[in-house]
Amino acid sequence: MTSLLEQAEQVLEKAQSGINPRWYPRYHLAPRAGWMNDPNGLVWFDGWYHAFYQHHPYSPKWGPMHWGHARSKDLVHWEHLPVALAPEGPADKDGCFSGSAVVDGDTLALIYTGHKFHGPSDTDDNLYQVQCLATSRDGIHFERHGKVIDTPPGLHHFRDPKVWREGEFWYMVVGSRVENTGQVRLYRSTDLREWHDEGIFAEADEGKGFMWECPDFFPLGEKRVLMFSPQGMAAEGYHYRNLFQSGYLLGDWQPGQPFTHSGQFTELDHGHDFYAPQSFLTPDGRRIVIGWLDMWESSMPEQQDGWAGMLSLPRELSLVDGRVRMKPAAEVTALRGSYYPTPVRCLNNQNVLVAANADAVEVQLAWDLSASTAEQFGIALGDGLRIYVDDQAGRLVVERRYPEYSLEGTRSIPLPADSVLSLRIFIDRSSVEVFVNDGDACLSSRIYPQPGERDISLFANLGKASLYDAGYWSLDK
């Protein structure tokens, strides 16, 4: 009898040759074929970075979750490995949902949510989510150990465990939902198998989320960060514009003590598409985050091409003046090929071509805001994407216009107080990631240019715009 893992591999091997590459990323991690969502189990083990992810190998639509798997020596060049987990047991018969990975001596341990229905799947009353364990010595083939934490009484949504070691104990945070209130629960263990319930770690105020997904908890600087993805936050002006958000609470914690925090939820990324980020430590101690570069219930045109979903670039976190900053990991510069400086330094009511037919580039711009008077000025990719300063609103705007796919609209952030606006803009075949002023803000969105719509240009409307510096690198995988 062929196992579900073997079946998944056979399907993927056949399907990947039929992928239409027009929007398939050149330098981001995406599935060989089929569906991808949340990153899972990000970890350094036995000389490799490992990235697992939520995966449906049988179609480019969400389905019974497997764990896809890839590894890298440098965080930017990824090698696909066999599917690591399939819904094969009684504890996860309807899906291997999100989770994390830790190194326990010479063993790589995956801790994930087993998703199952006891009866028809059309009601949450029959839904049960439990936390499961699988281990590996080689980092590729996993032995399943089944359920290690059962569903707490009265709960149904109870998922996405993140595990870390502190002192003599392992700790785990798990997202949960009690009626219409999102929570994070805490557990403690000595062996990853027997867990003690430490109670509610944090929970939402009214209107701040009916479910807190994908929690992560880690030290950063002198503080502790609780990072999570709340579902059910209403938009407030320019904030919380996406269906679901990703962000953090900043506070203090010691084992055995409550988590005390400011209560101020801060978004991590201000673009259209960023969800379920997970963090891990590099061997040299940097805190790196990777997220899902998509958004639930948003159009995903690549589904017609046999695949769906991709992960963000790796991003290094730091704590500066009480705020989490996020910038591309240093390893990303290894992608750089040739550099092409842009000769123009001042635009006056004009549009200047910078690069023709660009599908994998890093653009670097430094605008002189004090010397710029145009109502709008910035950079465009064809007719579908503009990243520009709106001088009247005092905001940096990412605007995408792909009406044929029902993907239109803007996301924006306030302009910095100083006179220099420095941008690192990473454009791939179907994504853009904009990093502002060395990590002060980030905006990430999916894009879907048609053939002939990949020319990059700079523009200034109704006035002039001045640049200190401008150019781009071709990015080679």
Side-chain angles (χ1 to χ4, degrees), residues 220-238:
L220 195 64
E222 299 299 316
K223 307 296 282 186
R224 298 278 183 149
V225 177
L226 178 62
M227 185 171 69
F228 58 100
S229 296
Q231 298 180 321
M233 292 184 70
E236 297 177 11
Y238 288 109

Side-chain angles (χ1 to χ4, degrees), residues 404-426:
E404 65 271 37
Y405 305 119
S406 300
L407 292 171
E408 296 186 276
T410 64
R411 297 289 183 267
S412 66
I413 59 169
L415 289 174
D418 55 16
S419 63
V420 180
L421 176 64
S422 175
L423 304 178
R424 289 178 70 185
I425 303 169
F426 292 84

Side-chain angles (χ1 to χ4, degrees), residues 102-347:
V102 293
V103 178
D104 184 16
D106 61 356
T107 300
L108 179 60
L110 307 184
I111 303 93
Y112 66 97
T113 294
H115 180 75
K116 56 181 179 173
F117 287 93
H118 296 177
S121 60
D122 58 354
T123 171
D124 281 359
D125 292 342
N126 295 329
L127 170 65
Y128 293 91
Q129 294 182 327
V130 300
Q131 312 319 316
C132 300
L133 174 68
T135 58
S136 172
R137 292 293 180 89
D138 64 4
I140 299 174
H141 305 94
F142 290 86
E143 178 186 358
R144 300 155 57 91
H145 302 281
K147 176 179 66 179
V148 293
I149 300 179
D150 205 351
T151 316
L155 291 191
H156 295 280
H157 293 270
F158 173 63
R159 58 182 175 267
D160 311 336
K162 179 59 186 283
V163 176
W164 75 97
R165 181 86 184 188
E166 191 146 348
E168 59 182 314
F169 293 108
W170 295 102
Y171 291 91
M172 177 197 297
V173 285
V174 186
S176 65
R177 174 179 180 175
V178 176
E179 296 182 349
N180 283 315
T181 299
Q183 293 180 337
V184 171
R185 294 176 173 244
L186 180 68
Y187 293 82
R188 176 172 53 86
S189 173
T190 58
D191 62 2
L192 297 175
R193 287 161 171 79
E194 298 290 332
W195 291 88
H196 179 262
D197 186 350
E198 300 277 287
I200 297 171
F201 191 66
E203 66 180 343
D205 294 331
E206 186 175 353
K208 298 302 182 181
F210 60 77
M211 174 68 194
W212 282 7
E213 290 199 313
C214 304
D216 195 348
F217 189 67
F218 51 87
L220 195 64
E222 299 299 316
K223 307 296 282 186
R224 298 278 183 149
V225 177
L226 178 62
M227 185 171 69
F228 58 100
S229 296
Q231 298 180 321
M233 292 184 70
E236 297 177 11
Y238 288 109
H239 301 289
Y240 320 138
R241 302 303 307 180
N242 294 331
L243 177 61
F244 301 132
Q245 325 307 323
S246 294
Y248 64 91
L249 295 169
L250 198 62
D252 298 285
W253 179 78
Q254 291 296 326
Q257 300 297 317
F259 174 52
T260 59
H261 58 84
S262 64
Q264 179 60 47
F265 175 79
T266 304
E267 290 179 276
L268 269 173
D269 190 293
H270 302 272
H272 296 86
D273 297 290
F274 188 78
Y275 193 71
Q278 185 174 120
S279 80
F280 63 101
L281 281 176
T282 61
D284 61 1
R286 290 171 294 148
R287 178 66 58 174
I288 301 292
V289 156
I290 296 175
W292 182 40
L293 212 55
D294 285 287
M295 181 52 56
W296 294 112
E297 298 184 31
S298 181
S299 177
M300 300 172 74
E302 72 268 26
Q303 288 177 315
Q304 62 191 274
D305 294 343
W307 68 283
M310 58 190 287
L311 301 186
S312 72
L313 287 174
R315 304 164 179 200
E316 180 180 353
L317 300 187
S318 60
L319 188 66
V320 179
D321 297 330
R323 288 184 61 243
V324 174
R325 296 173 69 94
M326 188 164 63
K327 65 181 181 180
E331 288 85 347
V332 170
T333 59
L335 293 168
R336 288 176 176 172
S338 301
Y339 180 72
Y340 301 92
T342 302
V344 64
R345 287 294 179 270
C346 185
L347 298 94

